[in-house]
Amino acid sequence: MSKNARNKNARKANALTQREIAWGGIAFYAVIGLVAVVAIGFTFMQTRSSADSPSVAGLVTKDDLGREHVSGTVAYDTSPPMGGDHNPVWQNCDGRVYDAPLQNENAVHSLEHGAVWITYRPGLAAAQLDALTNKVTGIDYTMLSPYPAQDAPIKLTAWGHQLSLDDASDPRVDEFLRGFVKGPQTPEPGAACDGAKDTP
């Protein structure tokens, strides 16, 4: 083979083997793919239904709750409310024990953030109140307060979910807390539960 032919073949081989990688195109499609994955994940989180929520005996659920920020009072159809339109300021729910009733509209905002609100009818036995206090104290996304108008000694409420109980030692207290503190019912996962309203 002549020297010219060898040089020509070498140039052809070099042209094929030294092709540059199109990093711009790869980066573009990688970003598009990442955006698509994030969008699908966010949509999934926002559309989880109550069917994904834990099953607790005696649980009452409510769907299609409003989520508007409003001023003034809201006429809720359950006591305590399970969700709905609410005050723009949430009630601090970072393991708080309140000794007076809370404003419904602030507490409902906390439910939207993933809190569980434990309420009790005034006059609950001291031992039972102590047990509920121990369940809440220092546990983020929980709060405890009296609720004079409720029809059961104890109620546990999360967004769209409520459980009525007669006794603080009922094992369903722990079941409810495990299932609903920042659970799948949460309309605004990751939203804060402190730094807002600190008093009843």
Side-chain angles (χ1 to χ4, degrees), residues 64-137:
D64 301 321
L65 296 163
R67 291 182 50 205
E68 297 298 319
H69 287 178
V70 297
S71 58
T73 58
V74 176
Y76 296 107
D77 57 4
T78 60
S79 294
M82 299 163 64
D85 295 342
H86 50 269
N87 191 280
V89 179
W90 61 89
Q91 189 73 41
N92 285 346
C93 50
D94 49 349
R96 299 294 174 110
V97 176
Y98 297 96
D99 58 4
L102 304 177
Q103 293 293 315
N104 284 332
E105 294 77 15
N106 301 105
V108 167
H109 195 156
S110 300
L111 299 181
E112 184 182 41
H113 289 191
V116 167
W117 182 18
I118 303 179
T119 54
Y120 61 92
R121 205 163 47 202
L124 187 70
Q128 293 209 46
L129 184 53
D130 287 346
L132 294 175
T133 298
N134 289 336
K135 298 284 185 192
V136 168
T137 303

Side-chain angles (χ1 to χ4, degrees), residues 179-194:
F180 293 104
V181 170
K182 297 191 289 183
Q185 84 291 342
T186 304
E188 293 185 2
C193 222
D194 60 359

Side-chain angles (χ1 to χ4, degrees), residues 27-180:
F28 174 77
Y29 288 110
V31 168
I32 295 296
L34 181 61
V35 168
V37 167
V38 169
I40 290 167
F42 181 78
T43 302
F44 172 74
M45 292 293 286
Q46 295 299 312
T47 58
R48 289 184 297 179
S49 70
S50 58
D52 299 325
S53 296
S55 177
V56 179
L59 186 67
V60 174
T61 61
K62 187 169 180 57
D63 294 323
D64 301 321
L65 296 163
R67 291 182 50 205
E68 297 298 319
H69 287 178
V70 297
S71 58
T73 58
V74 176
Y76 296 107
D77 57 4
T78 60
S79 294
M82 299 163 64
D85 295 342
H86 50 269
N87 191 280
V89 179
W90 61 89
Q91 189 73 41
N92 285 346
C93 50
D94 49 349
R96 299 294 174 110
V97 176
Y98 297 96
D99 58 4
L102 304 177
Q103 293 293 315
N104 284 332
E105 294 77 15
N106 301 105
V108 167
H109 195 156
S110 300
L111 299 181
E112 184 182 41
H113 289 191
V116 167
W117 182 18
I118 303 179
T119 54
Y120 61 92
R121 205 163 47 202
L124 187 70
Q128 293 209 46
L129 184 53
D130 287 346
L132 294 175
T133 298
N134 289 336
K135 298 284 185 192
V136 168
T137 303
I139 306 300
D140 282 345
Y141 292 84
T142 64
M143 56 189 177
L144 172 68
S145 72
Y147 202 96
Q150 71 184 33
D151 58 6
I154 300 165
K155 287 199 177 190
L156 286 81
T157 306
W159 186 271
H161 298 76
Q162 194 167 76
L163 181 65
S164 298
L165 299 173
D166 293 323
D167 196 303
S169 65
D170 192 309
R172 290 177 292 171
V173 172
D174 289 337
E175 254 186 276
F176 194 97
L177 290 169
R178 275 195 307 270
F180 293 104

